[in-house]
């Protein structure tokens, strides 16, 4: 057991629990619980967005992808980064001006509220539960490996901590947990990058030359050679990463925490820059690991350089920290990896809670007739239910290959949420029937195609050959959602359709001016 890692993580937990206690005294209403009263500044929200988005799979997974596949890791990171300008220029301002707590507020602004909230809540819950399952399984495996803690205890511990953050501290506590995690993550990546450059006397060319010399692909490793070997799958993956982020409920929620549209734009602008810096650093660290780890056979199973990595394929960055800074730096990075998981699962839990308590219970079932006390009780009970479901799913899927769930979460976000959100904001002709048809077709086709792909049909269900021969469905499911929404809206001549189209002018005025949005609270 690495006592350095345990000590650093203990400090993080104590600090965040203290923040949760402080936040609990200021979380008195649903506004405080879901949006921190809209009192988060643009700079604070930018760090929180980075903390919410940059998960352990980004820190360990992208560096590992670069370590094994070279330039392909940079292509993946570039696609994951490219969604931010879309949010900044197309969504951020309108989200803040039209929304209150969730994405459903925007979709239901002029469309039929009841049906659109039901669809939006179901889509959000599917994405949240898929994403949470991956995060919880990853948390259990990572903590078991780094801290020598039994898997079930690790999963339960993460689940309990995230429930405490959300149930008692709401968005205020979640935001500050994410801010602290983002600062630590940025610092650790820049520190490791500096140490890696120092190791080679700040000669970047020497790092690249050494990496090429050690890697089995040789010169091919500095160009695209694997990820986009199948152009259809490569483009489909790129579309999921680029547009999926604009449909992730826990990311979209963050734009309701700032006081106005100007702060929303500022937060996404800063977050875009910080995310880009992190991705560049992480890819560079994967390259550095490619050049440094082969110098020490102890990082490889049975000492066979070029073979399997000790601890699994996601461990190159952790081993690089040992090579550059010994056990102390390893302990620090281990604690940051754990804090990364906690920050992401807290944001996901809050997004799932809002779908149940606000969209389904308060708005659909109770039609807004809920007392503030009752609303807060349901908020906290919903957070408990989501947290418990995450723990159970993490324990059930312990030994399963869950890589397909990440692809599916992004595919659903890009195929169901993003088309509906974009069309409701920019196309006056969208109707309730069109939005529902497009969203349902996008969601169902994404799920069906992932099930029929080799990731599930062959690797999980055990069939010999996949029916859908590509790894990712977004190239097919996302355009299909747009086309269906357009055609159904064009054919819709109902009375409700006329109301939907007539409501666009009022929506546009609110989206552009922000007239009528709630004032921010101070904390």
């Amino acid at each position: 057991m690495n006592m350095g890692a345990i000590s650093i993580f203990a400090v993080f937990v104590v600090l965040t629990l203290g923040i949760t206690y402080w936040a609990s005294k200021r979380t008195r209403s649903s506004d405080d619980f879901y949006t921190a009263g809209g009192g988060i500044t643009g700079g604070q929200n930018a760090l929180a967005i980075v903390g919410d988005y940059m998960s352990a799979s980004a820190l360990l997974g992208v560096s590992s992808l670069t370590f094994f596949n070279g330039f392909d890791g940079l292509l993946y990171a570039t696609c994951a980064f490219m969604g931010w300008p879309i949010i900044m220029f197309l969504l951020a301002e309108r989200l803040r001006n039209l929304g209150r707590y969730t994405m459903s507020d925007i979709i239901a602004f002029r469309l039929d509220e009841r049906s659109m909230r039901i669809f939006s809540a179901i889509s959000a819950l599917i994405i949240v539960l898929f994403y949470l399952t991956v995060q919880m399984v990853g948390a259990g495996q990572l903590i078991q490996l780094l801290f020598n803690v039994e898997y079930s205890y690790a999963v339960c511990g993460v689940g309990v901590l995230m429930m405490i953050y959300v149930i008692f501290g709401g968005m205020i506590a979640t935001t500050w947990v994410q801010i602290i995690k983002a600062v630590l993550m940025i610092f650790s990546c820049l520190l490791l990058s500096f140490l890696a450059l120092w190791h080679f006397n700040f000669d970047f060319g020497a790092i690249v030359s050494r990496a090429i010399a050690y890697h089995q692909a040789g010169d091919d490793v500095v160009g695209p050679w694997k990820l986009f070997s199948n152009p259809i799958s490569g483009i489909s993956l790129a579309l999921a990463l680029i547009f999926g982020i604009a449909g992730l409920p826990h990311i979209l929620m963050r734009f309701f925490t700032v006081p106005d549209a100007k702060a929303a734009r500022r937060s996404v602008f800063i977050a875009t820059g910080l995310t880009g810096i992190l991705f560049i650093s992480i890819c560079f660290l994967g390259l550095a690991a490619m050049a440094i780890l082969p110098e020490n056979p102890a990082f490889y199973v049975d000492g066979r350089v070029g073979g399997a990595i000790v601890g699994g394929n996601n461990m190159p960055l952790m081993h690089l920290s040992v090579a550059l800074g010994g056990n102390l730096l390893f302990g620090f990075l281990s604690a940051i990896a754990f804090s990364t998981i906690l920050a992401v699962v807290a944001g996901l839990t809050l997004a799932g809670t809002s779908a149940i308590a606000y969209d389904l219970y308060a708005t659909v079932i109770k039609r807004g007739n809920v007392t503030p006390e009752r609303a807060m009780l349901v908020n906290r009970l919903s957070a408990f239910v989501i947290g418990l479901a995450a723990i159970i799913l993490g324990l059930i899927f312990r030994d399963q290959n869950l890589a397909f769930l990440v692809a599916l979460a992004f595919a659903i976000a890009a195929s169901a949420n993003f088309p509906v959100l974009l069309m409701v904001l920019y196309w006056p002709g969208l109707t309730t029937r069109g939005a529902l048809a497009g969203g349902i077709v996008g969601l169902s086709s994404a799920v069906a195609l992932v099930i029929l792909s080799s990731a599930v049909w062959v690797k999980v269900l055990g069939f010999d050959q996949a029916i859908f021969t590509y790894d990712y469905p977004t190239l097919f499911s996302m355009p299909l959602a747009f086309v269906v929404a357009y055609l159904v809206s064009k054919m819709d001549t109902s009375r409700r359709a006329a109301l939907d189209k007539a409501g666009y002018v009022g929506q546009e005025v609110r989206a552009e001016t922000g007239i009528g949005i709630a004032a921010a609270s101070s904390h």
Side-chain angles (χ1 to χ4, degrees), residues 357-377:
Y358 173 62
D359 287 330
L360 295 180
Y361 178 78
T363 308
V364 174
I365 297 175
K366 290 295 185 178
R367 300 181 184 274
N369 298 316
V370 184
T371 63
E373 295 77 15
R374 182 74 174 180
M376 284 302 297
L377 175 62

Side-chain angles (χ1 to χ4, degrees), residues 14-37 40 163-178 180 350 376 380 521-523:
V14 171
L15 177 61
T16 52
L17 288 177
I19 289 172
T20 302
Y21 176 77
W22 166 79
S24 68
K25 303 298 183 182
R26 291 158 176 79
T27 303
R28 306 181 187 93
S29 66
S30 291
D31 282 340
D32 298 327
F33 188 84
Y34 289 126
T35 67
I40 304 299
M163 283 192 280
I164 291 173
Y165 294 151
V166 176
I167 290 172
F168 296 104
M171 180 58 84
I172 301 173
T174 300
T175 295
W176 283 101
V177 169
Q178 291 166 344
I180 294 170
L350 197 55
M376 284 302 297
R380 288 174 168 143
S521 304
S522 59
H523 296 289

Side-chain angles (χ1 to χ4, degrees), residues 26-177:
R26 291 158 176 79
T27 303
R28 306 181 187 93
S29 66
S30 291
D31 282 340
D32 298 327
F33 188 84
Y34 289 126
T35 67
I40 304 299
T41 68
Q44 291 169 346
N45 195 46
L47 286 169
I49 288 172
V50 174
D52 206 359
Y53 179 63
M54 298 297 287
S55 64
S57 62
L59 179 65
L60 302 179
V62 174
S63 60
S64 172
L65 181 62
T66 308
F67 175 81
F68 287 106
N69 296 333
F71 188 77
D72 283 354
L74 183 60
L75 288 177
Y76 184 96
T78 301
C79 294
F81 169 78
M82 285 173 62
W84 288 105
I86 293 173
I87 293 177
M88 181 165 63
F89 292 114
L90 295 181
L91 301 180
E93 181 177 349
R94 290 168 178 256
L95 287 174
R96 179 61 191 95
N97 286 341
L98 291 173
R100 185 183 181 191
Y101 297 150
T102 68
M103 184 185 76
S104 301
D105 293 328
I106 293 98
I107 296 175
F109 191 89
R110 65 181 175 94
L111 304 183
D112 179 65
E113 183 172 50
R114 188 177 178 85
S115 57
M116 294 312 303
R117 284 194 185 276
I118 291 173
F119 161 75
S120 180
I122 291 173
S123 176
L125 284 171
I126 291 173
I127 293 171
V128 165
L129 289 176
F130 284 171
Y131 220 133
L132 265 179
T133 301
V134 176
Q135 294 295 323
M136 295 300 287
V137 172
Q141 294 173 343
L142 184 64
I143 295 164
Q144 183 182 33
L145 182 66
L146 299 180
F147 300 112
N148 196 27
V149 176
E150 172 59 34
Y151 175 87
S152 57
Y153 295 150
V155 169
C156 292
V158 172
V160 170
L161 279 173
M162 77 178 183
M163 283 192 280
I164 291 173
Y165 294 151
V166 176
I167 290 172
F168 296 104
M171 180 58 84
I172 301 173
T174 300
T175 295
W176 283 101
V177 169

